Amino acid sequence: MTAAIVRRLLRLAVIVLIVTFTTFLLLDATPGDPAVWKLGINADPELLAQTRAELGLDRPLLVRYLDWLGDAARLDFGESFFTEVSSWTLIRRALPKTIELMVLAEIMALAISVPLAIAAARRPGSWIDRWSSGSAFALLALPAFILALYLSYVFAVRLGWFPTIVTDLPGLNEDPLENLRQMFLPALTLALNLVAVYLRLLRSDLIDTLQEDYVMLAQARGLGDRRIMWRHVLRPSSLNLTTAIGLNVAGLIGGALIVERFFAINGIGQLLIVSIVGKEFFVASAIVLLLTVAYVVVNFCVDLLYSVLDPRIRSGIR
């Protein structure tokens, strides 16, 4: 187990190096000069050169990256070129909103997909099975921004139940009801795409598990359908669903970027876009580092959960 964890940590280190260096490389290749954007296009050339030197932009890319990497190893992720605020401070302000958005989306997706999958698997070919399958295919075909437009039109413009702009979001500890009301549409937009994936995966696995001998034996012993489903069928059928949840972390991050932009949420996605546009090497690289580590750690935890969900399967850490 210890050797497996060490190997996984080494893989994480390699992934972090590749992803963060690629971020530096791509930002350096994009057009624009942070010094010009900071001082203006009519700034004195000598002052521009001095500003570039102060920002470290006159040094080779590899030198800048290695300096940043050394500082990051000491948990110093540099400062914004324009605001001169530390990257970690900017991330700390934005991160809670993104985490809340992603957690709410996962909760909504599971709350919708699990009951529907159970109902469809218990009665294959019934109206609820056909309706849920058709809805899942429709949701898979719709991109996040189309869902956001439709939901905003129905629930915000026509009904007026929820806001379309979430720039002034209160904290959960300050006003939880207003916080959840403002986050409902963004979270639902993210959740609906997940529902389509989770519903199809879980329905298929539940139908297969219901054909197992031990399930038929439990039915022959007279156990109730509800007890059989929740105690003997759902857990071993959740392996693919658990994998999908881990893999969808990357999809949630990408979806959150679009949704935050649409609903004007000042989260990590919005901060990443602003950092890329402004060629904020340190801020963008710190965000990418955080997201990369989070993605790998979540999938590592998914591997560990396999042995809990099904004792026949030992940890998939290799």
Side-chain angles (χ1 to χ4, degrees):
M1 178 67 73
T2 303
I5 293 176
V6 170
R7 286 196 299 270
R8 183 57 68 91
L9 290 176
L10 289 175
R11 291 180 190 175
L12 172 59
V14 172
I15 292 172
V16 166
L17 289 174
I18 294 173
V19 172
T20 52
F21 180 72
T22 303
T23 302
F24 260 72
L25 192 63
L26 292 176
L27 285 175
D28 189 65
T30 57
D33 186 343
V36 173
W37 293 347
K38 185 173 184 177
L39 300 178
I41 57 175
N42 297 319
D44 181 72
E46 292 184 3
L47 185 58
L48 283 173
Q50 180 182 346
T51 303
R52 289 192 189 97
E54 291 173 354
L55 297 176
L57 299 174
D58 59 334
R59 296 180 298 163
L61 175 68
L62 183 59
V63 174
R64 282 183 280 146
Y65 173 72
L66 292 176
D67 285 347
W68 175 84
L69 192 63
D71 292 337
R74 298 191 297 271
L75 301 181
D76 178 5
F77 301 104
E79 295 181 348
S80 165
F81 292 154
F82 302 103
T83 63
E84 297 183 355
V85 177
S86 71
S87 300
W88 178 242
T89 299
L90 295 173
I91 292 173
R92 192 175 57 200
R93 294 172 184 169
L95 187 59
K97 298 173 185 177
T98 300
I99 291 178
E100 181 185 353
L101 175 61
M102 294 172 63
V103 170
L104 286 176
E106 282 288 358
I107 292 173
M108 286 183 177
L110 292 172
I112 297 171
S113 60
V114 172
L116 281 178
I118 291 174
R122 291 177 65 180
R123 300 176 182 86
S126 64
W127 70 268
I128 192 169
D129 185 24
R130 294 193 301 271
W131 174 82
S132 61
S133 297
S135 300
F137 282 120
L139 290 173
L140 282 173
L142 291 175
F145 71 92
I146 296 295
L147 285 173
L149 281 171
Y150 180 77
L151 293 174
S152 296
Y153 175 74
V154 173
F155 293 104
V157 177
R158 299 291 295 179
L159 298 177
W161 291 351
F162 306 103
T164 56
I165 304 297
V166 194
T167 54
D168 197 15
L169 180 71
L172 271 172
N173 57 338
E174 300 170 3
D175 192 346
L177 291 179
E178 180 60 21
N179 175 283
L180 294 175
R181 188 181 79 88
Q182 293 193 31
M183 290 293 279
F184 181 83
L185 282 184
L188 183 61
T189 301
L190 271 182
L192 287 179
N193 284 129
L194 299 179
V195 167
V197 177
Y198 296 169
L199 174 60
R200 297 299 301 167
L201 279 176
L202 186 57
R203 172 194 173 277
S204 177
D205 288 342
L206 285 172
I207 290 176
D208 289 342
T209 306
L210 284 169
Q211 308 304 316
E212 294 286 343
D213 292 341
Y214 71 89
V215 176
M216 295 182 180
L217 179 61
Q219 292 171 337
R221 292 173 57 192
L223 296 180
D225 290 345
R226 181 175 298 180
R227 183 179 180 184
I228 292 173
M229 180 63 70
W230 289 102
R231 295 193 60 180
H232 302 287
V233 177
L234 186 59
R235 193 174 77 170
S237 301
S238 301
L239 293 175
N240 287 330
L241 177 63
T242 305
T243 303
I245 291 173
L247 294 175
N248 271 321
V249 171
L252 272 175
I253 292 169
L257 189 149
I258 297 171
V259 170
E260 286 179 2
R261 190 70 171 174
F262 185 90
F263 290 97
I265 301 173
N266 295 319
I268 286 294
Q270 188 85 310
L271 179 61
L272 181 59
I273 291 174
V274 172
S275 301
I276 292 173
V277 172
K279 298 190 71 169
E280 292 272 15
F281 290 87
F282 298 153
V283 180
S285 298
I287 295 173
V288 170
L289 173 64
L290 173 68
L291 298 182
T292 302
V293 172
Y295 178 72
V296 174
V297 168
V298 168
N299 281 275
F300 179 71
C301 293
V302 168
D303 286 343
L304 294 177
L305 279 174
Y306 281 172
S307 60
V308 176
L309 291 172
D310 192 340
R312 295 171 300 177
I313 299 179
R314 289 295 164 249
S315 176
I317 304 174
R318 291 181 290 274

